[in-house]
Amino acid sequence: SKEWNELIFFVGDEESSAALLKSTDWKADPGIDSYGFTVLPAGYISSGTIHETGNRAGFWSLTDYDTYSARSIYFNEYGRVYVTFWDKTVNDALNVRCIKD
């Protein structure tokens, strides 16, 4: 999550960074993708079901939060991005974004 925090705060803050990193493909509150990062509204999987496609995007980070959850990055339809945590279960899934150092 260190890298995500650095990216978010390099771009702005948790509120302004979302618009600058999100693609224009979002149903509600489309981004302007100022940096070409192009966060797509891919949604997430919870309890084996895809949720919020078109409105939200969640990404795993490399950092565990504890034994049962990992740090994650979450873009929502209200123009915010924040670092949080998500349960590591076989029925839940987030997106993965690989970035070259």
Side-chain angles (χ1 to χ4, degrees), residues 19-87:
L20 299 173
L21 296 172
K22 287 169 39 176
S23 75
T24 59
D25 300 325
W26 290 64
K27 292 178 184 175
D29 193 43
I32 55 176
D33 198 19
S34 297
Y35 291 88
F37 196 71
T38 317
V39 173
L40 298 171
Y44 59 91
I45 297 175
S46 178
S47 301
T49 303
I50 299 172
H51 296 276
E52 299 292 341
T53 302
N55 289 319
R56 298 183 184 191
F59 295 90
W60 292 114
S61 79
L62 290 174
T63 311
D64 282 342
Y65 179 74
D66 59 24
T67 304
Y68 306 103
S69 58
R71 297 238 181 245
S72 61
I73 295 70
Y74 190 73
F75 290 79
N76 69 23
E77 71 273 30
Y78 305 113
R80 291 191 59 90
V81 57
Y82 49 94
V83 178
T84 183
F85 63 91
W86 195 268
D87 289 342

